[in-house]
Amino acid sequence: MFDFDLFVIGGGSGGVRAARIAAGLGARVAVAEEYLVGGTCVVRGCIPKKLFVYAAHFADEIALAESFGWSAPHPSFDWPRLIENKDREINRLVALYEETLGKAGVEINRGRAIMKDVHTVELADGSAASAETILISTGGAPFKPDIPGIEHAITSNEAFHLQTFPKRILIAGAGYIAVEFAGIFHGLGSEVFLSYRRDKVLRGFDEDLRDHLTAEMKRKGINFCFETNLRSIEKGADGLTAHFDKGDSLTVDTVMYATGRLPNTKGIGLEEAGVQLAPNGAVVVDEFSRTNIPNIYAVGDVTDRKALTPVAIKEGHAFALTVYGNNPVSPEHDDVPSAVFSQPPIGTVGLTEDEARIKHQAIEVYRSEFRPLKYTLGGSEERALIKLIVDRASDRVIGAHMIGPDAPEIIQGIGIAVKNGLTKAQFDRTLAIHPSSAEEFVLMPTPVES
Ligand code: NDP
C-alpha cells in the first residue's frame, strides 16, 4: 500500500540509528538528508569540535613538556592544515554512515523532504514517496538574536570552515558551545572575549563547577564581559565592532554567537500536517517518541528533550524497537552523563547540589580540590575539582561532578555507578588507583557539607 514502511526525515545520529535498526527488523526504510548523512554531531558538532579541542591542547602540552626536561622549538600553528585534515576525516565518516545505511538496505534521498500529508513526503526532485510511518529527526540549528549587524556574526556552523584564523574573537553566550569554542580559539592563539548576560558560565551546571571553570578560564587569559548584552555589530576597516548595552564597545575579527539552538521544524510541512509543536518550535512527543499524529514520530534535538547525541541515538533505537520489534521501549532521560570539552573539561552525571537540595530531604556533599600531579613540576596553577552528592537517607550517590584533565573519560565509569544506584559505602569499598585524579572519587571519607 505504501512505498516504504518508514520514511525518516533527517539523517543525523537519531535518524540514522532508527533507520538502521528498523531496516534490520525487516522494515522497508528510506532516509532523506538535505546536507550530509551523519548530521550535526558528525559534520558540524561533536566530532570536528573534539578534533579542534585536541588541536588546542597542544599549546599547553608543549609548554608543560619543558617542565619535564624537553626543549621544543617555538611551535607554530597552521589553521588551513587543521581544517583540511578535519574535513578529510569528516568526509570519511560521512561515507561510512552512508555505507552502513546502504548495507542495511536503507534508501538514501539527497535533498530536503517536505511532508505533504501524514503519509506522503515530497522529495527534492519533485517526486513523492508514501510511507506508513514518518520519523522526524531534523535536529536543531543555531539561534542568533535579531540585533543590528547580526548578519556579520558567525555561529559554530561557520567556525568549522573559517578561511582566516581570527586573531581576536568575541563569543556571545556561556553555554556548552561558547565555553568549548572559547577554549579552542584561545588554545590555538586567538585573543578571546566571551560576553554573557549573567555572572558565570554554564547555567544549570553544579555551582562549584561553574565557579571553578569561570576562574580557570580567566586564569588562562580568556576575557569575560559579564552581565552585558550585545546591542549591535558594526563592520569597519579594522574588523567588527560590537556595541554593548552599557555603552562600551570592542573591535574584533570575528563575532561568534553561541546562544542556543532551535529545533528544525520550519518549512517541512509539520504544522500543515497537524503535528503539535511546543512554543519554541520543538515537536511534542510522548514517552515512545510519538507525536499527536499516531503514525508520526520524532527523535533527537528536534524534540528538545536532552540535546545530546547519545540521547538521540537511544531515542532512535527505542523508536525502532517499539514500532518494528514488537518491544515497546521508552528511552530514559535521567542520570544521563555528559561532558563539556572546555579547558579544563567537565564530566557530570546526576543531580547538581542545588537540585539535590530541592529533591531530597537531606544530602551530604563530598568535595576534593587538588592540583593534578601532571602540573606539579611546571608553573601551571590549574586545579581539579571532584564532587559527590549523596542522599543521606539511602546513602545513594545521586550526583557526581568533575572538572579537570580527563574528566569526560573518568565520568563515563562513574556514570555506571550513579545510574545503577550505588551507595557511598560501595564507592568507598572500591580501592583507589594510585596515583590518579580519578581516585578522589573513592577517597573522600568526610562530607564537607550536609
Ligand atoms: P546552551 O543552551 O548550552 O547555551 C546558550 C547560551 O546562550 C546561554 O549562556 C544563554 O544564556 C545564552 N543565550 C540564550 N539566548 C540568548 C540571547 N537572546 N541573548 C544572549 N544570550 C543568550 O546552548 P549552546 O548553543 O551552547 O548548545 C546547544 C546545545 O547543544 C546544548 O544545550 C547541548 O545540549 C548541546 N551541546 C552539547 C555538547 C556536549 O555534549 N559537549 C557540546 C555542544 C553542544 P542563559 O544561561 O542566560 O540562558
Side-chain angles (χ1 to χ4, degrees):
M1 207 178 139
F2 297 107
D3 299 327
F4 297 99
D5 297 315
L6 171 65
F7 197 101
V8 179
I9 305 181
S13 301
V16 165
R17 174 60 69 95
R20 188 167 64 75
I21 301 300
L25 291 166
R28 295 169 305 142
V29 185
V31 173
E33 168 56 53
E34 67 176 343
Y35 188 44
L36 293 171
V37 174
T40 301
C41 177
V42 175
V43 179
R44 43 195 178 192
C46 330
I47 300 294
K49 181 274 308 288
K50 186 81 186 274
L51 292 170
F52 280 12
V53 169
Y54 283 129
H57 267 289
F58 284 104
D60 279 352
E61 293 290 324
I62 292 167
L64 193 62
E66 293 192 1
S67 63
F68 288 87
W70 290 92
S71 304
H74 187 68
S76 64
F77 170 67
D78 184 347
W79 171 253
R81 182 140 46 100
L82 173 64
I83 302 282
E84 190 186 321
N85 289 350
K86 177 265 297 176
D87 285 344
R88 196 178 53 241
E89 175 58 10
I90 301 310
N91 290 338
R92 188 184 72 84
L93 290 174
V94 169
L96 267 181
Y97 266 70
E98 291 185 355
E99 190 185 317
T100 307
L101 282 180
K103 277 189 186 154
V106 175
E107 188 178 307
I108 302 175
N109 284 276
R110 280 162 225 288
R112 193 171 177 83
I114 298 170
M115 273 174 56
K116 284 292 146 194
D117 61 51
V118 297
H119 286 292
T120 313
V121 173
E122 186 184 288
L123 305 175
D125 64 3
S127 64
S130 63
E132 185 176 18
T133 301
I134 293 176
L135 178 70
I136 311 297
S137 48
T138 45
F143 152 78
K144 287 196 287 189
D146 190 14
I147 60 165
I150 193 69
E151 67 278 8
H152 302 306
I154 64 161
T155 67
S156 55
N157 282 356
E158 295 79 33
F160 290 116
H161 302 283
L162 281 180
Q163 301 233 314
T164 312
F165 183 74
K167 289 200 177 83
R168 304 161 296 176
I169 184 166
L170 168 64
I171 300 177
Y176 281 82
I177 295 179
V179 298
E180 290 183 341
F181 272 92
I184 288 168
F185 282 112
H186 175 74
L188 297 179
S190 299
E191 188 179 6
V192 176
F193 300 85
L194 188 147
S195 75
Y196 180 43
R197 56 192 179 188
R198 300 174 206 270
D199 65 346
K200 55 182 141 165
V201 301
L202 289 182
R203 186 169 64 86
F205 282 70
D206 189 274
E207 291 296 313
D208 279 335
L209 293 183
R210 299 181 68 196
D211 288 333
H212 197 100
L213 181 60
T214 306
E216 285 293 347
M217 289 174 74
K218 269 187 194 159
R219 201 184 49 71
K220 280 177 188 284
I222 288 165
N223 306 286
F224 285 110
C225 317
F226 280 137
E227 294 175 324
T228 187
N229 271 303
L230 265 81
R231 208 182 54 210
S232 63
I233 302 167
E234 200 184 347
K235 192 169 183 163
D238 187 33
L240 300 174
T241 301
H243 298 282
F244 295 97
D245 53 8
K246 287 180 184 151
D248 48 339
S249 59
L250 177 69
T251 300
V252 292
D253 304 303
T254 302
V255 177
M256 173 175 159
Y257 263 79
T259 42
R261 296 173 62 85
L262 287 177
N264 275 330
T265 47
K266 290 216 172 84
I268 50 172
L270 290 177
E271 280 150 298
E272 295 78 353
V275 175
Q276 191 191 344
L277 302 180
N280 71 346
V283 180
V284 177
V285 290
D286 68 11
E287 72 268 36
F288 295 106
S289 300
R290 188 180 217 161
T291 69
N292 59 314
I293 309 287
N295 72 306
I296 301 179
Y297 291 74
V299 296
D301 291 4
V302 76
T303 63
D304 196 25
R305 286 177 278 187
K306 267 198 161 77
L308 296 171
T309 296
V311 173
I313 291 173
K314 229 3 177 220
E315 290 168 357
H317 202 122
F319 153 80
L321 293 178
T322 300
V323 178
Y324 301 102
N326 199 22
N327 173 20
V329 180
S330 167
E332 295 174 19
H333 292 93
D334 59 337
D335 291 337
V336 173
S338 72
V340 186
F341 295 95
S342 46
Q343 293 176 36
I346 285 175
T348 178
V349 59
L351 302 180
T352 65
E353 181 178 339
D354 287 351
E355 288 169 342
R357 288 197 190 282
I358 293 166
K359 291 190 178 159
H360 293 254
Q361 259 194 342
I363 62 164
E364 286 175 347
V365 178
Y366 297 80
R367 192 189 294 121
S368 171
E369 201 195 323
F370 54 95
R371 192 169 169 212
L373 182 61
K374 184 178 176 182
Y375 299 134
T376 53
L377 299 192
S380 174
E381 294 299 320
E382 185 174 317
R383 297 181 72 76
L385 173 84
I386 284 181
K387 183 170 175 182
L388 287 179
I389 322 282
V390 176
D391 171 48
R392 190 185 286 160
S394 62
D395 195 39
R396 228 190 104 182
V397 176
I398 51 176
H401 311 281
M402 175 174 180
I403 177 165
D406 303 322
E409 302 290 338
I410 292 167
I411 212 72
Q412 181 70 78
I414 302 295
I416 299 171
V418 173
K419 179 74 185 166
N420 288 286
L422 293 202
T423 62
K424 179 68 167 61
Q426 288 169 315
F427 269 62
D428 294 348
R429 200 185 300 150
T430 310
L431 278 190
I433 294 172
H434 186 71
S436 69
S437 293
E439 67 181 322
E440 292 301 311
F441 274 114
V442 297
L443 291 178
M444 293 188 286
T446 319
V448 290
E449 274 168 56
S450 53

